[in-house]
Amino acid sequence: MAEGSRGGSLAFGQVVIGPPGSGKTSYCHAMREFLGRLGRRVAVVNLDPANEALPCPCAVDIGELVTLADVMASLGLGPNGGLLYCMEYLAANADWLRDRLQGLRGHYVLFDCPGQVELYTHHQALKDVFAQLAKWNFRLAAVHLVDSHYCTDPGKFISVLCTSLSTMLHVELPHVNVLSKMDLIEQYGKLAFNLDYYTEVLDLSYLVDHLASDPFFRNFRRLNEKLVEVIEDYSLVSFVPLNVQDKQSMRQVVQAVDKANGYSFGDQEHRSLEALMSAAVGADFHFSSTLAVQEKYVQSQDKAVEEEVMDL
C-alpha cells in the first residue's frame, strides 16, 4: 500500500473493468510497464477467475481461491452463473484478499477485473469488494475500457453510452471511461463524425438523425431519442482515447486517472515522466489531446483512400 498522507498509509490504484475483449489484461500490463518507468512500484492483481492465460505473473491471483472451471464443474453452472458465483465467493471471503494485499505495501495496484457486464451494472458482489477495498484505505478509480470500434456503429455507440452510464452509477467510484484499441479503429470503417464528437459525447441528436437514415433504425427513432435524453440529462459520460503502444496516449490516461483517485506524484516522478516523453516525442513535448489522436486517424483514412485510388 502506497504511502499517502502523513496521518496514515493510503493505497492508490485502479480497478480495470469493461466487457469481454475490451483489452483489460493488456491494459494492466502495459500500464504496469509505463508506470514502472516513472518510478512507481506497481503490482497487478487478477480478480478474473476465468482468466487462465495471464501474459505475466500477477502479485495476487484469484485462481488461488476459486476458478470458474472448478465452479462450473462442481455446481453445474454455466459461464455467466459461474462467474457471478465466483464474485459472491470472493466477497464472502474478503479476508483472503486482505491478507494477500498486505504484502503489497508501497505498491500502486492495478485490479484486473472480470468481463461480465452484469457485475458492473446491477450485481452487488463486486461492488461490495470495491467497498471493502475503500475500507482498507485504497483510493481507487474505475477505468472502464470500451472497444473503440463501437464508434463506427451509431446504434452500438448509444448502447455503449447507456452501459457506461449505468456502470458509473452502480459502481460508485471515481470513473474514467476509455476508448481502447484506437490503433485499430480504422479497420472497422470510417467514423460518421470527428473523433472528439465521440470522446466528448457532444450533441447526440446528430447521432439519432444519422441512425434514422437507416431503414431498420427509423422505426426506433423515438426509443433512441429517449435513450439519448437520459444520457444527456446525467451529462456524466465522456471518453479518453487510448493506444497502449503510444506513450502520449498512455500519459493522457494516467493524468485522468491520477486526477480521479487523488494520487499526487512527487517531483522525481514528474521528472521521470518529462524525460520519458521527451525521449518519445522531442524536447518540446506538450500534453497530448484528442486532436492528436484524430489527426492520426484521419491520416490513416487518407492513406487508405489513396491506396484505393492507386489500385483503380
Side-chain angles (χ1 to χ4, degrees):
M1 299 182 184
E3 293 183 2
S5 63
R6 295 180 181 179
S9 178
L10 294 178
F12 290 91
Q14 308 172 21
V15 291
V16 184
I17 61 179
S22 57
K24 295 183 295 297
T25 300
S26 298
Y27 169 88
C28 285
H29 291 282
M31 184 58 70
R32 179 175 69 171
E33 180 180 351
F34 184 83
L35 293 177
R37 296 179 66 180
L38 303 183
R40 292 192 203 180
R41 298 173 62 194
V42 184
V44 176
V45 174
N46 177 42
L47 294 184
D48 185 358
N51 198 347
E52 299 177 351
L54 299 172
C56 298
C58 294
V60 179
D61 185 1
I62 192 178
E64 300 174 6
L65 176 69
V66 63
T67 66
L68 179 60
D70 290 342
V71 168
M72 292 173 61
S74 60
L75 300 180
L77 296 173
N80 292 333
L83 194 51
L84 295 179
Y85 178 89
C86 289
M87 292 299 100
E88 292 171 353
Y89 190 79
L90 174 63
N93 293 274
D95 290 345
W96 173 88
L97 181 60
R98 182 184 59 191
D99 293 342
R100 295 300 188 277
L101 293 176
Q102 288 295 327
L104 300 181
R105 292 186 179 277
H107 288 76
Y108 184 96
V109 185
L110 302 172
F111 294 90
D112 186 0
C113 298
Q116 191 166 351
V117 175
E118 294 93 322
L119 292 170
Y120 314 116
T121 57
H122 58 271
H123 197 260
Q124 190 68 23
L126 204 52
K127 180 180 178 180
D128 291 342
V129 173
F130 296 158
Q132 284 292 337
L133 290 171
K135 292 180 181 179
W136 301 335
N137 258 356
F138 274 90
R139 298 296 179 264
L140 301 172
V143 178
H144 183 212
L145 299 183
V146 175
D147 198 316
S148 60
H149 84 265
Y150 290 120
C151 295
T152 62
D153 187 318
K156 291 181 180 178
F157 187 66
I158 291 179
S159 175
V160 162
L161 292 174
C162 292
T163 302
S164 298
L165 177 59
S166 178
T167 300
M168 295 176 76
L169 297 176
H170 181 72
V171 171
E172 296 181 347
L173 283 175
H175 214 88
V176 177
N177 293 303
V178 174
L179 288 175
S180 63
K181 305 179 185 179
M182 283 302 303
D183 53 319
L184 302 178
I185 188 172
E186 66 268 14
Q187 297 183 8
Y188 299 98
K190 188 173 179 61
L191 298 179
F193 307 99
N194 287 337
L195 183 61
D196 58 352
Y197 177 86
Y198 300 93
T199 58
E200 301 302 324
V201 189
L202 302 176
D203 188 351
L204 295 178
S205 62
Y206 291 101
L207 202 62
V208 174
D209 291 338
H210 186 73
L211 272 173
S213 64
D214 187 322
F216 176 79
F217 288 104
R218 191 173 300 145
N219 296 328
F220 301 97
R221 182 185 181 99
R222 185 63 177 162
L223 172 62
N224 288 325
E225 287 176 344
K226 289 300 181 182
L227 291 174
V228 163
E229 285 180 12
V230 171
I231 296 165
E232 293 184 330
D233 284 347
Y234 277 95
S235 190
L236 291 175
V237 184
S238 62
F239 295 94
V240 180
L242 173 66
N243 172 9
V244 296
Q245 299 176 353
D246 185 350
K247 292 183 177 63
Q248 295 184 39
S249 179
M250 290 290 285
R251 175 176 180 165
Q252 189 177 8
V253 173
V254 169
Q255 186 182 18
V257 174
D258 285 349
K259 183 177 180 180
N261 65 11
Y263 184 90
S264 178
F265 55 77
D267 292 339
Q268 181 58 48
E269 178 170 317
H270 180 71
R271 288 194 295 269
S272 299
L273 182 57
E274 291 299 329
L276 177 62
M277 298 312 303
S278 295
V281 297
D284 293 328
F285 173 79
H286 297 286
F287 284 103
S288 61
S289 64
T290 302
L291 179 60
V293 181
Q294 173 70 20
E295 288 175 349
K296 292 180 181 180
Y297 171 78
V298 172
Q299 289 172 1
S300 65
Q301 287 290 326
D302 291 342
K303 183 178 179 181
V305 173
E306 290 177 1
E307 290 176 351
E308 290 180 0
V309 172
M310 292 299 293
D311 290 339
L312 293 175

